[in-house]
Amino acid sequence: MFIYIDFLIKKILKRKQNVIMVFICFFVIVFIYVMNINSQKILRDSLASQIKMSEKAINDKTKIMESNDVDDSSIQSLQKEIDEINTTKKRYDDLIEYYENKQWDKFYDSYLNELNSQKKVIQQTQEISEKDTNKNEYLEMIEATDKQMNIINHYRKNHLNYENTDYPIYGITFTLYLFRTVFPILLTAVSVYLLSQVFTFDYVENMDRSKLLSLKPIEKTFSKIIAGCIIVLGIFTICTLISVLIATFVTKNIGNDYPIMVLVDNHLTCIKAITVFVKVMCMNIFYMIFIILLSYIMSLLIRDSLTLLLILLCMTIGCAYLPNILPVIKPFSHLFPFIYVNALLVIDGSLTKTFMNPNMYFNFGMMVLITGMIVLIVLIIVLLALETKNDKEKLCQ
């Protein structure tokens, strides 16, 4: 049996297209990391842009003051406005200086004051606004400001270097970013691609070559599932480790204590990245095992690798994003195991908010995946019993 497992794994890994798939994953990880590194100065550039706007406003008002058409009262009013703009410009100048010199404590204190001021302006404008649509926009702006303030407060309390949370660069936070964006589709597609080969390798023109081996049906099934687990979980582990190690090596920071915003009791709260990372890994491993079992059952019905691949892609990736197309199933989406491919979006509450489904959270997701795995295992046992019965009937004939 173990010789058969070793044979399957070697056959799959020796195929050039499978090696290319692994290199594509590596390239995607490196490419996204370089993009994130280049996006770290967005906040600094935004502050510099504010300074340029302030300088332009000062120049414009100065030109008006120097014209002959302005009376004394207007000059005083313009001078007051220039003084206010200069004060604001000085604050932005200080922020950039703290940022470039990596004086993070001073930067965080000053930036929090700036965010507080912005929030007050938004709230005042919201109170004046009469249109309901505008009020919703202001609420979103206030929520975004509160989120940024929570993150900066977390940085300050834990004495952390600044990181653009939209494009993280540290070990754990960058890996979680991949689990939020490309890993759900990328790793699922690669896994299904490899599984469709593992489980259909023995079939040639609807003939099962494995029957030529001295393996019982249960041994053959167990061998294929073990081989699938080793290959798929191996690729999953390698991609995760590569992303963590590359980001940690470049920045010399694994990012354990950096914040991930999680929805708790309808409020966004900062949770340490390592805590979220452990849950994401756990849910993803269970999801992968669920996909392996499902792929094996489907391979018993569909013996052509390409057809099996296309059907599995539709089932996994298609069903995962089906609630976005059919809003009517959103209230029941927490019951679909395929939804939990987006483990991070489930854990941080993003899908709860998007689907307006309060039942979509980590514990319930784990229960759905475990239940799904048990159902699939029972189906495999039933199919094995039927196959054994058919084999005995053929021998009797």
Side-chain angles (χ1 to χ4, degrees):
M1 186 177 74
F2 292 105
I3 295 173
Y4 183 56
I5 293 172
D6 183 59
F7 171 74
L8 283 174
I9 293 171
K10 285 180 178 177
K11 272 292 181 183
I12 298 303
L13 296 181
K14 280 182 180 179
R15 292 182 176 178
K16 289 182 180 180
Q17 63 267 34
N18 296 338
V19 176
I20 291 170
M21 290 290 289
V22 176
F23 275 106
I24 288 173
C25 292
F26 176 76
F27 173 78
V28 169
I29 292 168
V30 173
F31 176 77
I32 292 174
Y33 188 69
V34 172
M35 295 292 288
N36 281 17
I37 285 283
N38 292 333
S39 301
Q40 283 307 294
K41 291 188 177 182
I42 288 177
L43 177 57
R44 191 257 178 221
D45 293 342
S46 175
L47 295 171
S49 175
Q50 292 290 338
I51 291 172
K52 287 182 180 179
M53 290 173 62
S54 297
E55 289 173 347
K56 184 178 182 302
I58 290 170
N59 290 334
D60 292 342
K61 292 182 185 299
T62 302
K63 287 178 182 178
I64 295 171
M65 287 175 62
E66 290 173 352
S67 66
N68 297 323
D69 301 330
V70 183
D71 54 31
D72 291 341
S73 61
S74 296
I75 289 174
Q76 290 178 356
S77 177
L78 286 167
Q79 185 60 52
K80 185 179 178 181
E81 290 176 14
I82 289 172
D83 292 340
E84 289 175 355
I85 295 170
N86 270 319
T87 302
T88 303
K89 178 178 172 294
K90 176 65 168 60
R91 292 203 305 268
Y92 288 135
D93 282 328
D94 290 341
L95 280 169
I96 289 180
E97 183 183 346
Y98 298 148
Y99 184 98
E100 291 180 340
N101 294 327
K102 297 184 178 180
Q103 296 174 296
W104 298 122
D105 288 339
K106 291 181 178 180
F107 175 79
Y108 295 147
D109 288 338
S110 300
Y111 190 47
L112 280 171
N113 290 333
E114 197 61 38
L115 288 172
N116 265 316
S117 300
Q118 291 177 10
K119 183 179 176 181
K120 287 177 183 177
V121 171
I122 295 169
Q123 288 172 332
Q124 290 169 358
T125 311
Q126 180 193 16
E127 291 172 1
I128 298 169
S129 176
E130 296 179 355
K131 294 181 180 180
D132 292 336
T133 53
N134 287 343
K135 285 186 178 180
N136 289 332
E137 290 177 8
Y138 291 131
L139 285 172
E140 290 176 2
M141 291 169 67
I142 291 170
E143 184 178 328
T145 306
D146 284 336
K147 177 182 175 180
Q148 187 69 3
M149 289 172 68
N150 282 334
I151 291 168
I152 297 299
N153 262 318
H154 184 93
Y155 289 162
R156 183 179 63 172
K157 289 177 182 176
N158 292 277
H159 305 289
L160 302 172
N161 292 347
Y162 176 77
E163 178 190 51
N164 185 342
T165 53
D166 292 329
Y167 305 98
I169 58 170
Y170 298 128
I172 300 295
T173 53
F174 171 67
T175 306
L176 288 174
Y177 173 81
L178 293 177
F179 276 112
R180 182 188 299 276
T181 52
V182 298
F183 271 2
I185 293 177
L186 180 65
L187 292 182
T188 300
V190 171
S191 299
V192 168
Y193 176 73
L194 295 173
L195 289 171
S196 65
Q197 297 175 53
V198 174
F199 295 149
T200 61
F201 177 76
D202 290 325
Y203 299 122
V204 179
E205 296 180 357
N206 287 325
M207 296 292 293
D208 188 353
R209 293 183 298 183
S210 65
K211 290 186 177 180
L212 300 174
L213 303 172
S214 58
L215 288 174
K216 296 177 182 178
I218 189 169
E219 291 177 331
K220 182 188 71 174
T221 298
F222 190 72
S223 298
K224 285 189 174 182
I225 290 173
I226 290 295
C229 286
I230 291 172
I231 292 170
V232 168
L233 295 180
I235 294 294
F236 171 80
T237 304
I238 289 169
C239 288
T240 303
L241 279 175
I242 286 173
S243 59
V244 172
L245 292 175
I246 286 175
T248 303
F249 176 77
V250 172
T251 60
K252 305 296 187 295
N253 190 336
I254 196 169
N256 280 343
D257 296 328
Y258 276 77
I260 302 295
M261 298 304 295
V262 176
L263 193 66
V264 179
D265 297 328
N266 292 322
H267 295 288
L268 286 172
T269 306
C270 287
I271 305 293
K272 287 187 177 182
I274 188 63
T275 304
V276 178
F277 181 75
V278 170
K279 289 186 175 182
V280 168
M281 292 297 290
C282 184
M283 181 170 278
N284 270 289
I285 289 170
F286 274 80
Y287 175 78
M288 290 294 179
I289 295 172
F290 172 82
I291 293 301
I292 292 165
L293 295 172
L294 176 67
S295 300
Y296 180 76
I297 290 177
M298 294 302 297
S299 72
L300 298 177
L301 306 173
I302 303 161
R303 297 187 172 187
D304 178 66
S305 62
L306 180 59
T307 307
L308 178 62
L309 171 62
L310 294 174
I311 290 174
L312 286 174
L313 285 174
C314 290
M315 290 181 69
T316 53
I317 297 175
C319 290
Y321 297 95
L322 192 61
N324 294 319
I325 302 169
L326 297 175
V328 69
I329 66 173
K330 284 183 179 180
F332 315 103
S333 55
H334 61 286
L335 299 173
F336 304 156
F338 303 107
I339 291 293
Y340 299 100
V341 65
N342 291 301
L344 180 56
L345 299 182
V346 171
I347 292 165
D348 71 6
S350 297
L351 287 186
T352 300
K353 190 175 179 181
T354 302
F355 293 165
M356 293 180 288
N357 187 336
N359 295 314
M360 194 171 290
Y361 52 92
F362 175 76
N363 289 341
F364 193 89
M366 292 298 293
M367 185 175 69
V368 169
L369 290 172
I370 292 169
T371 304
M373 287 162 59
I374 292 170
V375 170
L376 293 176
I377 290 169
V378 170
L379 279 174
I380 290 170
I381 293 170
V382 171
L383 291 170
L384 272 174
L386 291 173
E387 185 180 354
T388 304
K389 184 181 178 181
N390 288 335
D391 289 344
K392 286 181 179 179
E393 288 177 354
K394 287 179 181 177
L395 286 172
C396 292
Q397 292 174 359

